Amino acid sequence: MTRFDPSSERKLAGSDLNDNLPSLQLPEAQRMSHSAGSGRVDEPLIRESIPIDSIDDVNDERLLQIAQQCFDTSEQYFNASQRTRIMDAMARFRSMHPKGSKYWQDAYSKRSKVFRPKTRSTVRKREAAAILSMFSTSDIAAIDATDNGNVDASRDARLQNALLNHRLNEDPRFYQMVLGAVQDADRQGIVCACTEWDYKEATKYYDELRTDGSKRRHKIKQPVFDRPNWRLIPIENIRFSPASNWMDIVNTTPYLIEIRPTYVCDIREYAKNPRARLKYRELSDAQLMMGVKSNEWDPIRIQREGNKQDRYARQGEINEYATVWVHRNIIRIEGEDYVYDTVGTQVMLSDMVPLGQMDPRGYRPYVIGSMTMESHNPYPEGTVSLMAQLQDEINENANLRTDMNKMSTAGRMFVKRSAGIDLHALARFSPGAAVEMDDPTSVRWDRPPMPPQSNFEENNLLNVETDDLIGNFNQGSVAANKQLSETVGGMQMLGDIGTQMTEYDMRTLGKTFIEPLLRQTLDMLRLFETDRNLAAIIGSKFAVKEREYWKSLQTPTQLVCNVGFGGTNPMARLGKLNMAIKMMGEYFPYLMMMSDQAEIAQEIFGACGYPNAERFFPFLDEKTQQDPKYRTLVMQLNQMRMLSFPHIAEAQGRQQQGQAQAMGAITSAKIRAEAQVTVARENAAAKQKLQQIQNDMAVIELKLEYAKTDLDRQSLLLERQKVAADIAEKQQQIAIQAQGTLLQNPHAEEQPLGPNEQGQVNQLEAPGSQAPYIPSMQDIMSTLAGINDPTLRDQQQREQDHEQYGDQGITAGQMQQADKTQEAELA
C-alpha cells in the first residue's frame, strides 16, 4: 500500500510507504517521549519487567502461567480494596441505596427510603461543564509547530490541526467518549481508554452477465470502517500492577491486561486473515467455552446496569454470536513490551509478538486519567465517593421528615386488644368506608407534631457542605449565604468559587486523559490515514498537493487541548479576552497590528456558543487558502514592522512631547484669562463702591450749603470728613489689589484677552449693565446749578407742586403760607 494508491489488502498487511516518503514507523526518540509522557528522551524511566531468564525460553505454558499470575495478583487487590467502593458509587449514581444500607432491612420495609438525586444532578452538571469547555468552538485541539519561525513547519502544523479537528468533529463517538469519560472519572475515580484504528471490510458479490447468457459471480472487499477509534474500558475490565507509579500507571506497570468481550465470529474471522498483525489460532468450541464463563456476572457491571441480567451472560450453547472474554496481555520482558491474547487465562489465542509489530506506534495504546488527584494512590476516589457520607445524611434527613409529615397528616390509631374491630377495614383508611366494631371507644387517634424548623435548616446546611466539597453552585448556595447573595459582588464571588472548582477538575481531566488521548490519535492519523478525498479538501485549503500533504503529516508538532480556566463560564472567557486585548493594545500596540484576527473572532464567537466565526465573516477562511509565497510575504511584512518600530516609537515620543507643550500653553492661557477677568471684575466692583461714596459726598456738600443752623453744619462737616477718608481708603485698596494680582500673574497683561474674556470685562464696565446706575459729576453739578438759580429753582418747585397737588388746585405759594402759619402756631 502507498499513500497514493490505498489498498485495503495491503493496508491490513501494514506495509510501509514507498521510498520517496518517510517511514510509517515513528522515530525511537518520539516513541520514548510518548512512553515517558514528559517529552524528554534523556529522562530515566523506572520500568519493571517480568522475571524471565531469556525470551527464547518462553513457551505457551510459561506465557499462560504469567498471564494467570498477573491477573490473579491484580484481581486479588482489586476485589479486596476497590470493588466494594466502586459498587457503592455505581449504586449512588443510579440514585439507589448501596448494598448494606439500613434501608434494605426488614425494619425499614414500611418506612420512607427515598434516595435524593443530589449525586446524579452533580455529575450531570459536571458533564455539562466538560462539554461547554471542550466543544464551545470547532477547534477541540490546538497544534503548533515546534519551530514557529519556519514557514513550512507552521503550515504543516495548521494542516495537522485541520485534519485532527475534522476527524474529532465529524465522529459523534468522540463526543460520547468525552461524556463517558467524565462519568467514569466521577464514579470510578479513574478513567481508562484504548486508541486503535478501526478498519473493517465487507465482502460484496455481483454477477457478470456473459454473452452466452450465463452468469459469473465475482466478489470484492470494500472497507466499511476506516477511522480512528476510542474505546472506553470499564474499570472491571482493566488490570495493572497495584505497585505501579500513580503518576504514569500505563508505562510503569510491568503488565497491563485488558479483558475484551469478543464475538466468536470475529475471533474466527480474524484467525482466517493472513494479513493480521496478531495471528489468531483456530480453537474448538470447547476451548472457546472456557472464555465464555471466565467473566460472567461481574458485580460492578451488574450494579452499573441497575441489577439487571448480565448482557454478556451465555444463553444456550455456544454459537457464532456468543461472547468470549479475551485477555490482551501486554508484558515487559527484558525492557521490551510484548503482547499476546488468551481466552480467559486458560487457552492461548495468539502467539507472542513485540508490541511494535502489532502497533507501529511502538508504545502501549492506553491512557489512564482521573479528575481528582490522590498522591501515591493509583485508585483515587471519584466525586461520587467523596460526597457519599453527605449524601447519606441528606437521605436520612429527608426520609425522617417525610415519615413525620405522613404521621402528622394521616396519624395512627391505638386499638384495644380483642375489641371486636374490623382491623383490615380500619387499616385501609378509605374515605366513606364503614368499620364494624363493638365499642367505638376502643380506638384512639394519635397525631405526632410536624417536623421542626431545625430539620429544614439541617438539610440546607448539608446541601451547602456538599456543594462546597464538589464545587457546585446552585440556588441553595445562594440562599444559605444571605449576606453575600444580597450584593452583586457577593453573587459573583459565590459563582467564582464554584467555577474555579469545576474548572480545576476539567483541567485535571484534560491534562491526564484528554491530551494524551489526542496525541495518540494524531499518531494514528500520521500512520493510517489514507482518505484521498479528505486529503484533497484539506490540501486545497492550504494550497498543497497530495504528495506534500502526506509529507506534512510526518512533521513533529506540539498538541494542546483547549481546556483552560474560564472555559466553563462564557462571560468569564469574554472578560479575560477583552482585558488581554485591551492591555496588549495599551502597552504593545505594534504587536496588535500583527495579531491573528481570525483566531480572536473564533474565540469570541466560540464563547458566545457558535462553533466558528466563518459563518459571519466568510473572508476569515481565506487565510488557509493562500499560497505559501503569500504567507512568506506576510512574515516579511511583520519583520519590517518590527524593524520600523524604533522610528515609530520616536515619532510617538515627539508627538507626546508636542501634545504636552500644547497642553501647557493652553493651561497658561486659561490661567491668564481667568486672572484678567478676575481683575476686571474686582476693579468694576471697587469703582462702583467708590462712585457710591462720591455720591454720598456730593449730597453732604448740598446739605452743607443749605444748612440752617451751625449745629447741622458741624454735623455735616464731620460726616464729610468720614466719607472723604473712605474714598481715600478705597482708592488705596484698589491700587494694592491690582498690584497684587499682577504680581501673582506677571504675564496677565502681556497677552491680550480673548473674545469671551474681553466680553466679560466689557459687560462688567458697561453703563447699561445690571449694576445700579451711578451719576457722573456733570449730573451732580447740573443739579447744584439748578439749586443756585432762583428762577430755575422756582420753576422746578412749581413742577413738583403741580405733580403733587395739581389735582387739588393748591399752589406753591399757598403751601408755603400754610407752612409759615403752622410754624408760628408751633412757636
Side-chain angles (χ1 to χ4, degrees):
M1 179 199 68
T2 63
R3 292 290 190 183
F4 314 107
D5 185 17
S7 172
S8 58
E9 296 182 357
R10 299 189 66 186
K11 184 183 182 68
L12 286 177
S15 59
D16 295 335
L17 295 172
N18 53 18
D19 298 334
N20 296 325
L21 292 179
S23 173
L24 280 173
Q25 297 289 341
L26 292 178
E28 181 67 21
Q30 191 171 356
R31 291 195 290 112
M32 292 289 291
S33 131
H34 279 283
S35 299
S38 60
R40 291 183 55 185
V41 182
D42 57 347
E43 204 169 87
L45 297 177
I46 302 176
R47 294 185 173 186
E48 298 180 1
S49 301
I50 302 297
I52 296 178
D53 296 335
S54 175
I55 193 64
D56 298 331
D57 300 335
V58 177
N59 52 24
D60 290 353
E61 183 180 357
R62 177 59 175 156
L63 290 177
L64 286 175
Q65 182 183 3
I66 292 173
Q68 182 71 43
Q69 292 176 352
C70 294
F71 181 78
D72 291 344
T73 302
S74 59
E75 180 74 6
Q76 182 180 2
Y77 173 81
F78 185 79
N79 292 337
S81 303
Q82 305 299 328
R83 188 177 291 277
T84 303
R85 175 185 65 83
I86 297 173
M87 290 175 58
D88 292 348
M90 295 296 177
R92 289 188 171 92
F93 176 76
R94 296 185 59 86
S95 298
M96 298 171 58
H97 295 287
K99 183 180 179 180
S101 175
K102 66 179 183 180
Y103 292 103
W104 295 110
Q105 300 177 4
D106 294 338
Y108 285 83
S109 60
K110 304 299 182 182
R111 297 279 300 272
S112 175
K113 42 182 176 290
V114 177
F115 192 98
R116 304 298 290 269
K118 181 74 174 180
T119 301
R120 189 62 177 262
S121 63
T122 299
V123 176
R124 285 175 58 84
K125 289 179 181 179
R126 293 162 71 83
E127 292 173 8
I131 296 303
L132 181 63
S133 60
M134 286 198 61
F135 295 93
S136 58
T137 61
S138 59
D139 290 342
I140 300 174
I143 299 178
D144 295 328
T146 55
D147 184 10
N148 291 323
N150 191 336
V151 179
D152 295 334
S154 300
R155 181 205 61 189
D156 296 344
R158 295 196 306 274
L159 188 145
Q160 294 180 20
N161 185 75
L163 175 61
L164 177 61
N165 286 288
H166 176 81
R167 283 292 190 178
L168 297 178
N169 288 316
E170 75 166 0
D171 197 339
R173 296 176 305 145
F174 182 76
Y175 180 89
Q176 297 172 347
M177 190 274 301
V178 173
L179 282 178
V182 176
Q183 278 191 16
D184 285 354
D186 282 334
R187 295 181 302 182
Q188 305 169 172
I190 63 173
V191 53
C192 181
C194 176
T195 59
E196 57 188 6
W197 193 265
D198 188 7
Y199 184 84
K200 291 183 179 180
E201 290 180 331
T203 303
K204 294 187 177 182
Y205 296 88
Y206 68 95
D207 295 333
E208 179 186 2
L209 184 62
R210 296 182 176 180
T211 58
D212 57 355
S214 61
K215 295 182 180 180
R216 182 181 180 183
R217 171 158 292 191
H218 299 272
K219 66 176 182 179
I220 59 173
K221 290 186 176 182
Q222 293 182 351
V224 179
F225 296 133
D226 192 4
R227 61 190 181 182
N229 186 31
W230 312 274
R231 287 190 302 104
L232 275 181
I233 303 175
I235 193 170
E236 70 271 12
N237 291 346
I238 191 72
R239 294 292 183 269
F240 53 84
S241 173
S244 59
N245 190 345
W246 63 280
M247 290 187 294
D248 190 8
I249 298 175
V250 173
N251 296 304
T252 57
T253 178
Y255 59 87
L256 187 66
I257 303 173
E258 180 192 356
I259 307 171
R260 293 186 172 189
T262 311
Y263 292 114
V264 173
C265 60
D266 292 339
I267 295 176
R268 290 175 175 173
E269 182 180 356
Y270 201 68
K272 296 177 181 179
N273 187 358
R275 299 176 301 275
R277 295 180 183 275
L278 193 63
K279 303 295 183 179
Y280 272 10
R281 301 176 182 180
E282 293 286 348
L283 300 181
S284 62
D285 293 346
Q287 291 175 324
L288 293 176
M289 281 292 295
M290 297 180 182
V292 173
K293 299 180 180 180
S294 62
N295 198 27
E296 284 187 335
W297 299 99
D298 187 276
I300 295 179
R301 183 168 60 252
I302 299 301
Q303 192 69 60
R304 181 191 296 113
E305 297 175 0
N307 292 326
K308 301 176 183 178
Q309 181 180 0
D310 191 357
R311 56 196 176 100
Y312 294 113
R314 181 179 61 88
Q315 297 179 357
E317 298 296 331
I318 190 169
N319 52 44
E320 292 295 317
Y321 303 106
T323 303
V324 177
W325 294 96
V326 176
H327 290 205
R328 172 149 294 180
N329 306 277
I330 300 178
I331 61 175
R332 183 176 294 118
I333 301 176
E334 296 180 350
E336 183 70 20
D337 285 336
Y338 294 87
V339 58
Y340 62 96
D341 289 356
T342 59
V343 177
T345 57
Q346 294 83 16
V347 181
M348 287 289 296
L349 183 59
S350 71
D351 297 333
M352 186 182 70
V353 297
L355 181 61
Q357 179 178 336
M358 186 196 72
D359 194 334
R361 289 176 292 179
Y363 53 81
R364 298 177 178 181
Y366 294 90
V367 178
I368 296 180
S370 62
M371 194 175 293
T372 57
M373 302 298 297
E374 292 184 16
S375 60
H376 314 293
N377 185 7
Y379 285 98
E381 291 187 350
T383 305
V384 177
S385 299
L386 290 177
M387 58 183 297
Q389 295 184 1
L390 291 174
Q391 176 69 71
D392 292 341
E393 290 297 326
I394 291 174
N395 295 335
E396 177 72 15
N397 198 8
N399 289 321
L400 285 176
R401 185 170 61 252
T402 303
D403 288 339
M404 293 187 68
N405 284 330
K406 292 179 180 179
M407 290 289 292
S408 62
T409 302
R412 58 183 175 178
M413 295 163 288
F414 296 101
V415 182
K416 185 178 180 180
R417 292 191 184 95
S418 303
I421 302 174
D422 188 356
L423 296 179
H424 294 286
L426 191 65
R428 283 195 297 269
F429 198 65
S430 301
V435 181
E436 296 180 356
M437 62 182 65
D438 295 338
D439 185 8
T441 60
S442 60
V443 178
R444 183 169 60 88
W445 287 87
D446 176 66
R447 292 180 181 272
M450 292 291 291
Q453 185 64 28
S454 60
N455 185 279
F456 297 93
E457 294 178 358
E458 180 67 18
N459 185 72
N460 293 334
L461 291 176
L462 290 173
N463 286 326
V464 172
E465 290 180 0
T466 306
D467 295 338
D468 183 59
L469 175 65
I470 62 180
N472 196 9
F473 177 72
N474 52 23
Q475 296 179 358
S477 303
V478 177
N481 296 273
K482 294 182 178 179
Q483 295 181 353
L484 289 177
S485 62
E486 291 177 355
T487 61
V488 177
M491 289 287 293
Q492 184 177 2
M493 184 182 301
L494 291 175
D496 291 343
I497 294 174
T499 303
Q500 289 175 2
M501 292 291 294
T502 305
E503 290 177 351
Y504 155 71
D505 292 338
M506 296 301 110
R507 185 69 171 178
T508 304
L509 182 66
K511 280 295 183 181
T512 60
F513 181 76
I514 301 296
E515 279 192 10
L517 191 78
L518 294 179
R519 292 192 183 99
Q520 294 188 10
T521 305
L522 181 60
D523 290 339
M524 285 194 300
L525 294 176
R526 290 169 176 167
L527 295 171
F528 304 116
E529 180 62 57
T530 57
D531 192 338
R532 302 185 67 180
N533 295 328
L534 184 59
I537 295 173
I538 298 179
S540 63
K541 293 183 178 180
F542 294 90
V544 296
K545 298 180 180 180
E546 186 176 4
R547 187 182 186 85
E548 296 177 353
Y549 172 83
W550 300 116
K551 288 184 178 180
S552 299
L553 295 182
Q554 306 303 322
T555 303
T557 53
Q558 299 174 348
L559 185 145
V560 178
C561 181
N562 286 331
V563 179
F565 290 98
T568 59
N569 190 345
M571 297 305 298
R573 289 178 58 184
L574 291 174
K576 292 180 179 180
L577 179 63
N578 185 28
M579 180 180 64
I581 292 176
K582 283 186 177 180
M583 293 185 67
M584 289 296 295
E586 180 179 357
Y587 293 104
F588 307 102
Y590 62 95
L591 290 179
M592 292 302 299
M593 294 187 298
M594 297 178 289
S595 62
D596 194 337
Q597 299 179 2
E599 291 296 330
I600 296 176
Q602 188 87 352
E603 186 67 22
I604 293 174
F605 280 88
C608 295
Y610 300 96
N612 52 58
E614 298 169 2
R615 168 185 171 188
F616 305 94
F617 305 99
F619 64 89
L620 292 178
D621 192 40
E622 295 180 0
K623 69 164 188 172
T624 60
Q625 301 177 0
Q626 302 298 332
D627 189 83
K629 296 181 180 179
Y630 174 80
R631 305 294 301 180
T632 305
L633 294 176
V634 170
M635 295 189 64
Q636 293 178 357
L637 178 60
N638 293 335
Q639 292 177 359
M640 294 176 61
R641 288 176 176 175
M642 293 293 294
L643 293 175
S644 62
F645 173 70
H647 303 286
I648 297 176
E650 183 180 356
Q652 290 179 351
R654 290 196 300 267
Q655 181 181 1
Q656 293 177 357
Q657 183 178 3
Q659 291 178 354
Q661 293 177 355
M663 290 298 296
I666 293 173
T667 304
S668 300
K670 185 177 180 180
I671 294 174
R672 288 195 300 271
E674 292 177 353
Q676 294 182 12
V677 170
T678 303
V679 171
R681 184 181 292 110
E682 293 177 353
N683 290 339
K687 290 179 181 180
Q688 180 180 355
K689 186 66 176 179
L690 180 61
Q691 193 66 36
Q692 290 178 357
I693 297 174
Q694 291 175 353
N695 291 341
D696 294 341
M697 177 65 75
V699 173
I700 293 172
E701 292 291 342
L702 290 175
K703 290 181 179 181
L704 282 173
E705 184 176 355
Y706 293 98
K708 296 181 179 180
T709 62
D710 293 339
L711 182 60
D712 293 339
R713 184 179 297 275
Q714 191 68 26
S715 176
L716 291 173
L717 288 174
L718 292 175
E719 187 176 355
R720 184 180 65 176
Q721 291 178 0
K722 180 178 179 301
V723 172
D726 291 342
I727 292 173
E729 182 180 359
K730 198 63 179 178
Q731 290 177 348
Q732 184 178 5
Q733 183 179 357
I734 292 173
I736 293 174
Q737 187 174 4
Q739 185 177 3
T741 303
L742 292 175
L743 288 176
Q744 293 180 0
N745 302 278
H747 302 286
E749 295 182 351
E750 295 180 2
Q751 300 291 338
L753 293 178
N756 296 332
E757 293 80 2
Q758 188 63 43
Q760 295 179 8
V761 176
N762 296 337
Q763 184 177 4
L764 293 172
E765 296 179 351
S769 61
Q770 297 179 358
Y773 172 70
I774 302 175
S776 61
M777 289 302 297
Q778 184 177 2
D779 297 337
I780 297 175
M781 294 304 295
S782 300
T783 304
L784 293 175
I787 294 174
N788 295 329
D789 189 357
T791 306
L792 183 59
R793 186 172 61 250
D794 293 341
Q795 183 179 358
Q796 294 176 352
Q797 186 66 33
R798 284 195 297 271
E799 292 177 355
Q800 293 177 0
D801 294 341
H802 178 71
E803 293 177 359
Q804 186 174 2
Y805 306 104
D807 296 337
Q808 302 177 3
I810 301 176
T811 62
Q814 295 174 351
M815 193 65 193
Q816 290 179 359
Q817 186 65 30
D819 292 339
K820 289 179 180 180
T821 303
Q822 186 177 4
E823 290 177 359
E825 292 175 356
L826 292 174

